[in-house]
């Protein structure tokens, strides 16, 4: 997935440590008898002090991280590492302070705030200065290794960036060229392996000091349910949508076999990972031309229109902003335009992975993105602005509540809007001409979307499944790569195109592994966005097939959406869910409803084929 959410939730918690470690006189309050003296009023005061200090300290860390991401040098790396070390120290300190309130019968906002402090860190560190420093250095080094990554097949003069390799993966139809690009990028991640093993050991130690079995147990506990129940919930959601993925996989494998031959694509086995148009085989939209159900029907050339009409990055962002404003949401702050990085600078290394940043928890919101004028980046902008509007709508909450209802919510907001980028919407903004309306056009449109939305689901599920198994010890360090491919084959039905060994570290070739960004949020967001879309279409009064709905210009849908976004993380996610959808449960049935035409078509097309792997 192209997007990274930079919420700085852990930084907010960490930064609060300065205030929470001392009383107003500057003396420490965490002495041995403190727990006996604490009252509910003390807990209220503690949370108030924490919230009072977060903004300034988070702002400092956010700016340092922004500078490192947009200007990668040894100096900016060192500055971020020092800031990260301070963050880890503050996080450890403030979480320890919450222990003095653990026996109190707390309710309301104070109880929730203290719970979120305990669960707020995705990077738990040991309560040891040397180990915190080591962890900070490791995380910065892995992130920078990825950001500076190049594949140099014939020496320094032949180096290729991830962006260049990704374009090859998207556009080439030469199996050997694709294989080289695929394998070449994975040379970048090999040096991370030793660092990642140390990272796991250190974060597990930090998680255990907080009372969790391991880091994965901590991550899964952040969803207003216990860790085991959450893992079962993700399994339930996956099983709801798996039948659709299985049909899509069967059809795509058959079409790829027609293109590349059965000696490369087996008729009844996993699909070779380099043939799916994406460096990580996570979305398959780039091979639409190879699997298009009806040749040339409803071929909406959005990229061509953007280029022909002289769009640049700024104009693409302005067009996306106009959609949100049409729902009754505010215009973006002027500082957004002044401080964002929306094109790749020519003179320096930057982290191009698209991301949204809440720098100060107020109006200073930014996007970092190396925008290119094409349909994919156009949709990515709408996605990123979803994060930005979430930041802006919950900015008046106490800092500890400035986050998504759960992390999947944050990722789903912009993609919910993307579902409203229907052919009719694109026509209304003059990016496509006359829109064909017939059964063949519907199937083509749904296939194009399914290659991204449905193809992604098992990848979104398995990335953290791998990490959970690593953190728990189920997967030992000597089995990192083998376990990665076992899960990729199990869930996605894909296989590596060249032999892999434990000299490789293929998980590290995916940004979110070295960047320590939990990934289940994306799986959940791909479920939630269809559920949200259905609820907003109902609010807009839309009548008709769900795939034809766009909420563009619907003030009522915007009002309903904003009411949920304003809650931030102040309530359990089930409350936010019920407010928008009428149900407290996550549910994949809206996906089945949305893709009903394609499901029927795929079943007919796959009849008699050997599906599965």
């Amino acid at each position: 997935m192209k997007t990274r959410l930079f919420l700085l939730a852990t930084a907010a918690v960490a930064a609060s440590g300065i205030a929470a470690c001392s009383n107003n006189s500057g003396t420490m309050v965490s002495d041995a008898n403190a727990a006996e003296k604490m009252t509910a009023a003390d807990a209220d005061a503690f949370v108030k002090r924490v919230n009072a200090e977060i903004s300034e300290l988070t702002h400092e860390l956010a700016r340092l991280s922004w500078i490192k991401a947009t200007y990668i040098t040894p100096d900016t790396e060192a500055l971020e590492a020092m800031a990260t070390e301070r963050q880890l120290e503050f996080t450890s300190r403030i979480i320890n302070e919450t222990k003095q309130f653990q026996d109190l019968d707390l309710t309301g906002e104070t109880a929730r705030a203290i719970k979120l402090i305990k669960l707020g860190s995705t990077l738990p560190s040991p309560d040891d200065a040397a180990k915190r420093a080591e962890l900070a250095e490791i995380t910065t080094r892995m992130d920078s290794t990825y950001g500076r990554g190049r594949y140099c097949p014939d020496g320094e003069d032949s180096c290729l960036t991830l962006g260049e390799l990704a374009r090859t993966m998207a556009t080439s139809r030469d199996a050997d060229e694709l294989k080289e690009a695929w394998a070449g990028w994975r040379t970048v991640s090999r040096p991370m392996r030793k660092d990642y093993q140390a990272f796991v050991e250190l974060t597990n130690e930090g998680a255990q000091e907080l009372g969790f079995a391991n880091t994965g147990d901590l991550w899964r506990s952040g969803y207003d349910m216990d860790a085991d129940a959450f893992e079962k919930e993700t399994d339930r959601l996956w099983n709801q949508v798996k039948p659709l993925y299985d049909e899509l996989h069967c059809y795509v494998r058959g079409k790829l076999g027609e293109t590349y031959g059965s000696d490369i694509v087996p008729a009844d086995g996993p699909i070779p990972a380099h043939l799916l148009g994406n460096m990580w085989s996570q979305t398959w939209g780039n091979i639409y031309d190879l699997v298009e159900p009806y040749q040339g029907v409803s071929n909406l050339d959005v990229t061509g229109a953007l280029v022909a009409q002289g769009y640049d990055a700024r104009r693409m962002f302005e067009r996306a902003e106009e959609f949100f404003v049409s729902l009754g949401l505010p215009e973006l702050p002027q500082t957004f335009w002044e401080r964002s990085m929306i094109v790749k600078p020519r003179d320096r290394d930057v982290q191009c992975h698209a991301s949204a940043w809440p720098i100060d928890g107020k109006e200073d919101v930014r996007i970092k993105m190396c925008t290119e004028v094409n349909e994919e980046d156009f949709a990515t902008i709408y996605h990123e602005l979803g994060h930005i509007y979430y930041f802006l709508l919950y900015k008046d909450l106490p800092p500890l509540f400035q986050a998504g209802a759960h992390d999947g919510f944050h990722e789903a907001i912009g993609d919910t809007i993307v579902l409203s980028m229907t052919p009719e919407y694109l026509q209304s903004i003059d990016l496509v001409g006359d829109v064909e309306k017939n059964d063949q056009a519907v199937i083509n449109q749904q296939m194009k979307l399914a290659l991204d939305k449905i193809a992604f689901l098992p990848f979104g599920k398995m990335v953290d499944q791998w990490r959970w198994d690593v953190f728990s010890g189920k997967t030992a360090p000597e089995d990192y790569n083998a376990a990665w491919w076992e899960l990729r084959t199990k869930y996605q039905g894909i296989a590596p195109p060249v032999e892999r060994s434990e000299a490789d570290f293929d998980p590290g070739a995916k940004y979110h592994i070295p960047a320590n960004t939990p990934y289940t949020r994306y799986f959940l967001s791909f479920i939630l966005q269809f559920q949200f879309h259905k609820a907003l279409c109902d609010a807009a009064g839309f009548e008709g097939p769900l795939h034809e709905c766009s909420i563009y210009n619907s003030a009522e849908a915007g009002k309903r959406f904003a009411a949920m976004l304003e809650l931030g993380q102040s309530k359990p996610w089930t409350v936010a869910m019920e407010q928008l959808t009428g149900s407290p449960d996550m549910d994949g049935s809206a996906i089945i409803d949305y893709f009903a035409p394609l499901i029927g078509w795929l079943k007919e097309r796959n009849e008699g084929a050997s599906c599965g792997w």
Side-chain angles (χ1 to χ4, degrees):
M1 189 169 189
K2 215 172 167 187
T3 301
R4 179 193 176 202
L5 168 63
F6 198 93
L7 271 178
L8 287 173
T10 58
V13 173
S16 63
I18 285 181
C21 292
S22 62
N23 58 26
N24 291 334
S25 65
T27 58
M28 296 300 295
V29 297
S30 56
D31 58 86
N33 297 319
E36 300 175 8
K37 302 174 183 177
M38 293 298 104
T39 66
D42 293 321
D44 293 341
F46 166 78
V47 170
K48 184 177 180 180
R49 290 198 306 271
V50 168
N51 277 317
E53 294 293 327
I54 284 178
S55 295
E56 178 182 350
L57 295 167
T58 300
H59 194 182
E60 176 191 4
L61 177 57
R63 282 189 162 183
L64 287 171
S65 296
W66 173 266
I67 292 169
K68 197 277 285 189
T70 59
Y71 205 111
I72 301 175
T73 71
D75 289 333
T76 60
E77 289 174 357
L79 288 170
E80 188 191 44
M82 288 188 290
T84 300
E85 184 180 347
R86 290 197 300 272
Q87 170 195 351
L88 296 174
E89 178 185 3
F90 297 151
T91 300
S92 177
R93 203 179 291 174
I94 194 65
I95 290 174
N96 280 332
E97 289 291 326
T98 67
K99 296 176 183 177
Q100 59 194 323
F101 306 113
Q102 62 187 9
D103 295 328
L104 295 178
D105 184 19
L106 300 174
T107 59
E109 289 190 359
T110 295
R112 182 156 184 80
I114 289 176
K115 175 184 177 182
L116 293 175
I117 290 173
K118 292 178 180 178
L119 295 172
S121 176
T122 60
L123 188 65
S125 65
D127 190 16
D128 176 278
K131 291 180 178 179
R132 280 196 302 269
E134 181 184 2
L135 182 57
E137 290 171 4
I138 287 171
T139 55
T140 296
R141 185 164 56 243
M142 289 194 299
D143 188 67
S144 294
T145 297
Y146 190 98
R148 288 198 302 262
R150 303 286 189 276
Y151 168 52
C152 306
D154 298 307
E156 287 298 318
D157 293 336
S158 67
C159 291
L160 299 169
T161 66
L162 175 58
E164 291 166 330
L165 293 167
R167 278 192 289 275
T168 296
M169 299 296 295
T171 60
S172 176
R173 299 298 180 251
D174 183 307
D176 290 335
E177 184 180 25
L178 290 167
K179 185 185 297 184
E180 182 182 6
W182 186 96
W185 176 245
R186 282 155 181 78
T187 63
V188 170
S189 54
R190 286 174 185 161
M192 300 179 193
R193 187 185 179 100
K194 183 178 179 181
D195 271 346
Y196 197 79
Q197 182 177 346
F199 164 85
V200 170
E201 293 170 357
L202 289 167
T203 58
N204 272 350
E205 184 177 340
Q208 288 158 7
E209 289 177 6
L210 299 178
F212 298 92
N214 53 66
T215 304
D217 185 50
L218 169 63
W219 286 8
R220 295 192 306 275
S221 298
Y223 292 89
D224 296 303
M225 61 178 71
D226 67 52
D228 290 341
F230 177 70
E231 189 165 359
K232 291 177 181 176
E233 177 71 353
T234 60
D235 288 340
R236 180 186 69 82
L237 293 169
W238 166 237
N239 286 325
Q240 277 189 290
V241 297
K242 183 178 183 296
L244 174 51
Y245 178 80
D246 290 346
E247 295 287 351
L248 182 66
H249 181 282
C250 187
Y251 171 76
V252 167
R253 181 178 60 193
K255 298 298 286 186
L256 290 176
E258 293 175 11
T259 298
Y260 294 102
S262 60
D263 57 328
I264 295 178
V265 183
D268 56 0
I271 299 172
H274 64 309
L275 303 179
L276 291 162
N278 176 269
M279 183 61 77
W280 307 278
S281 312
Q282 65 185 56
T283 55
W284 305 347
N286 288 322
I287 62 164
Y288 175 75
D289 61 304
L290 301 181
V291 304
E292 186 177 36
Y294 299 103
Q295 192 72 31
V297 175
S298 188
N299 185 12
L300 306 179
D301 184 11
V302 175
T303 297
L306 291 169
V307 172
Q309 295 181 32
Y311 272 77
D312 58 11
R314 172 73 181 236
R315 188 176 171 193
M316 290 164 71
F317 272 84
E318 289 173 342
R319 174 59 72 188
E321 177 195 27
E322 191 270 335
F323 190 112
F324 288 86
V325 171
S326 83
L327 303 178
L329 302 180
E331 294 183 353
L332 293 169
Q334 181 59 32
T335 53
F336 172 85
W337 302 105
E338 297 167 351
R339 300 172 185 175
S340 291
M341 186 197 84
I342 61 175
V343 295
K344 187 180 188 303
R346 296 180 179 181
D347 60 342
R348 62 185 189 267
D349 286 330
V350 300
Q351 177 52 263
C352 273
H353 194 92
S355 53
W357 298 58
I359 297 295
D360 64 354
K362 295 297 180 184
E363 295 285 334
D364 189 354
V365 292
R366 309 177 192 177
I367 283 175
K368 172 184 62 64
M369 182 174 173
C370 300
T371 312
E372 297 187 9
V373 180
N374 58 46
E375 181 179 5
E376 181 180 4
D377 279 12
F378 191 48
T380 296
I381 291 168
Y382 283 67
H383 172 96
E384 294 298 340
L385 285 186
H387 293 306
I388 294 295
Y389 275 96
Y390 213 163
F391 299 151
L392 291 173
L393 284 166
Y394 61 51
K395 67 181 175 60
D396 294 328
L397 291 174
L400 287 171
F401 294 153
Q402 290 186 13
H406 66 49
D407 53 11
F409 275 64
H410 232 299
E411 295 299 332
I413 302 308
D415 277 353
T416 299
I417 299 299
V418 171
L419 290 177
S420 281
M421 296 173 70
T422 60
E424 288 74 20
Y425 164 72
L426 295 172
Q427 184 181 38
S428 74
I429 60 173
D430 298 322
L431 283 180
V432 302
D434 293 337
V435 176
E436 293 184 69
K437 291 189 175 182
N438 55 57
D439 290 345
Q440 291 186 354
V442 169
I443 295 303
N444 275 9
Q445 291 159 12
Q446 292 221 315
M447 177 62 73
K448 190 173 184 180
L449 188 63
L451 291 172
D452 286 334
K453 299 296 185 180
I454 304 305
F456 175 80
L457 289 167
F459 183 77
K461 175 76 169 67
M462 62 76 49
V463 171
D464 277 352
Q465 188 66 60
W466 179 82
R467 282 194 282 202
W468 296 343
D469 291 347
V470 167
F471 287 133
S472 72
K474 180 180 177 181
T475 295
E478 59 268 23
D479 298 321
Y480 278 173
N481 223 48
W484 175 257
W485 283 105
E486 286 173 9
L487 288 172
R488 297 210 70 178
T489 300
K490 173 185 175 181
Y491 283 100
Q492 290 184 273
I494 68 170
V498 297
E499 186 176 349
R500 312 308 289 160
S501 74
E502 293 306 324
D504 299 303
F505 185 56
D506 293 339
K510 177 60 182 171
Y511 171 78
H512 300 73
I513 300 295
N516 190 47
T517 303
Y519 211 75
T520 304
R521 63 182 62 177
Y522 301 113
F523 169 74
L524 296 176
S525 79
F526 274 52
I527 300 289
L528 293 175
Q529 61 193 252
F530 288 91
Q531 196 172 356
F532 291 169
H533 180 63
K534 185 177 187 306
L536 292 171
C537 288
D538 289 343
F542 178 79
E543 296 182 359
L546 186 57
H547 63 269
E548 293 182 0
C549 171
S550 176
I551 62 170
Y552 181 58
N553 278 329
S554 173
E556 185 57 37
K559 181 180 178 181
R560 182 81 66 87
F561 215 14
M564 183 190 76
L565 300 180
E566 289 169 353
L567 289 176
Q569 203 175 15
S570 63
K571 304 290 183 184
W573 66 263
T574 51
V575 174
M577 174 69 78
E578 188 163 18
Q579 177 159 322
L580 179 62
T581 70
S583 169
D585 300 320
M586 293 184 285
D587 183 18
S589 63
I591 291 180
I592 305 304
D593 185 6
Y594 187 98
F595 286 103
L598 182 63
I599 293 172
W601 185 88
L602 284 171
K603 286 181 176 179
E604 290 182 11
R605 179 55 67 100
N606 291 334
E607 188 173 356
S610 178
C611 295
W613 54 87

